[in-house]
C-alpha cells in the first residue's frame, strides 16, 4: 500500500472514531464551532509544514510503530481531553483530519507537491 493510501487509511479510521464519538454523545454541534475549526486547521497545516520541510519527523514517520502510536495518541488524547475540557477538542481534531484530506486531494490532483507513484 503506497504511503498516501496508508496514511489516509489511518486518518480515516481516526476520523470515524472521533466523529462517531461526537454523534454518539450528542455533541456533533461542536463541529460548527469556529474556534475548534481554526485550531484544527491551524494545527494540521503546522504539522504538514513539518513534513514538507524535510525534518527528522518525516523520517521518523516511516516507522510502523510511530504511525500506529500517532493514530492511537490522536484518538485517545482527544477523547481524554474531551472528558476534561469538553467536545471542542474532539471537534478540533476532526477539523484537523478534514484539513489533511483537503491537502491530500490537492496532492493527488497535482495541485500541490508531488503524489507518490503507485
Amino acid at each position: 500500500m503506497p504511503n498516501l493510501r496508508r496514511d489516509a487509511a489511518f486518518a480515516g479510521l481516526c476520523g470515524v472514531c472521533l466523529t462517531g464519538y461526537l454523534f454518539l454523545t450528542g455533541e456533533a454541534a461542536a463541529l460548527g464551532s469556529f474556534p475548534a475549526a481554526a485550531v484544527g486547521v491551524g494545527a494540521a497545516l503546522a504539522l504538514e509544514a513539518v513534513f514538507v520541510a524535510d525534518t527528522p519527523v518525516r523520517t521518523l514517520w516511516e516507522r510502523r510503530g510511530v504511525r500506529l502510536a500517532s493514530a492511537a495518541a490522536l484518538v485517545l488524547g482527544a477523547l481524554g481531553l474531551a472528558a476534561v475540557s469538553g467536545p471542542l477538542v474532539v471537534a478540533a481534531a476532526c477539523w484537523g483530519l478534514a484539513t489533511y484530506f483537503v491537502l491530500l486531494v490537492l496532492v493527488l490532483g497535482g495541485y500541490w507537491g508531488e503524489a507518490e507513484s503507485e
Side-chain angles (χ1 to χ4, degrees):
M1 178 183 291
N3 291 342
L4 291 177
R5 286 186 184 177
R6 176 204 62 216
D7 293 349
F10 276 117
L13 184 57
C14 290
V16 166
C17 292
L18 295 173
T19 54
Y21 167 83
L22 289 174
F23 280 95
L24 289 174
T25 60
E27 299 287 355
L31 291 168
S33 164
F34 178 77
V39 168
V41 170
L45 292 175
L47 185 61
E48 289 301 321
V50 170
F51 285 106
V52 171
D54 200 21
T55 63
V57 173
R58 189 179 205 178
T59 304
L60 186 63
W61 183 254
E62 292 306 315
R63 296 182 180 171
R64 177 180 297 213
V66 170
R67 294 186 304 267
L68 198 54
S70 296
L74 173 66
V75 172
L76 296 175
L79 296 178
L81 287 172
V84 175
S85 61
L88 291 181
V89 175
V90 177
C94 291
W95 275 101
L97 290 167
T99 303
Y100 165 76
F101 281 110
V102 168
L103 294 174
L104 181 63
V105 167
L106 292 173
V107 167
L108 293 176
Y111 298 106
W112 184 50
E114 293 183 30
E116 296 175 14
S117 60
E118 296 187 36

